[in-house]
Amino acid sequence: MIKKIEHLGIAVKDLESSNQLFEKLLGVAPYKSEAVEREGVITSFFQVGESKIELLAASRSDSPIGKFLEKNKEGIHHIAFDVDDIWEEINRLKTLDFVLLSDEPKPGADGKQIVFLHPKSSNGVLIELCQDKK
Ligand code: ZN
């Protein structure tokens, strides 16, 4: 079951200046910053009520975020939904013909198991499903 919007991912070129900007905007400092080396990304997270904002900057220009920033401007990159059983959702969405970017969940930032849906099957929106690691 999809429970809520867990976070919005925003692609940024410069994490330092974007951290400062979102700290001013939201009135809170990021509660964590984390590199996911395998994905070539550095993230920082801001708590906003029950949801979060995830800033994503590239640590390598050939990483998915690096390529995104080459093709697009900075801005909203993905919407992440919190799910209670990621395998159940993967199977449910596959039978409904959604295209997943991987066949199984992988470790993401902020202690999550994550999987992405291809934007071509979801109105051009990159969607992340995430579940807290148990
Ligand atoms: Zn995310």
Side-chain angles (χ1 to χ4, degrees):
M1 192 181 69
I2 292 178
K3 298 197 288 186
K4 65 173 183 184
I5 294 176
E6 215 279 337
H7 62 268
L8 291 180
I10 298 174
V12 303
K13 291 197 168 125
D14 183 308
L15 197 58
E16 279 310 304
S17 62
S18 301
N19 275 340
Q20 288 170 17
L21 185 129
F22 275 85
E23 183 167 344
K24 269 191 253 170
L25 176 71
L26 299 169
V28 288
Y31 67 88
K32 76 149 67 165
S33 179
E34 188 179 346
V36 183
E37 204 36 63
R38 192 172 38 81
E39 300 294 326
V41 66
I42 313 170
T43 63
S44 54
F45 285 88
F46 294 81
Q47 190 74 45
V48 188
E50 289 223 334
S51 300
K52 296 162 189 164
I53 298 287
E54 175 186 29
L55 302 182
L56 307 126
S59 59
R60 300 190 304 267
S61 59
D62 65 344
S63 68
I65 283 291
K67 287 183 192 156
F68 176 89
L69 285 167
E70 220 170 74
K71 271 190 262 168
N72 306 277
K73 294 191 169 120
E74 296 179 293
I76 292 190
H77 178 258
H78 65 272
I79 298 178
F81 293 114
D82 189 19
V83 301
D84 53 3
D85 184 335
I86 199 162
W87 277 109
E88 193 182 295
E89 287 304 316
I90 287 171
N91 292 328
R92 185 179 74 86
L93 294 170
K94 269 188 187 168
T95 61
L96 296 172
D97 293 330
F98 286 94
V99 179
L100 287 102
L101 291 185
S102 61
D103 282 326
E104 51 185 50
K106 47 188 182 175
D110 207 25
K112 307 281 188 192
Q113 291 289 329
I114 65 168
V115 70
F116 284 97
L117 303 191
H118 196 291
K120 75 181 177 193
S121 64
S122 47
N123 278 141
V125 180
L126 179 63
I127 290 179
E128 175 186 344
L129 304 178
C130 60
Q131 182 188 354
D132 281 322
K133 276 181 205 158
K134 284 180 183 147

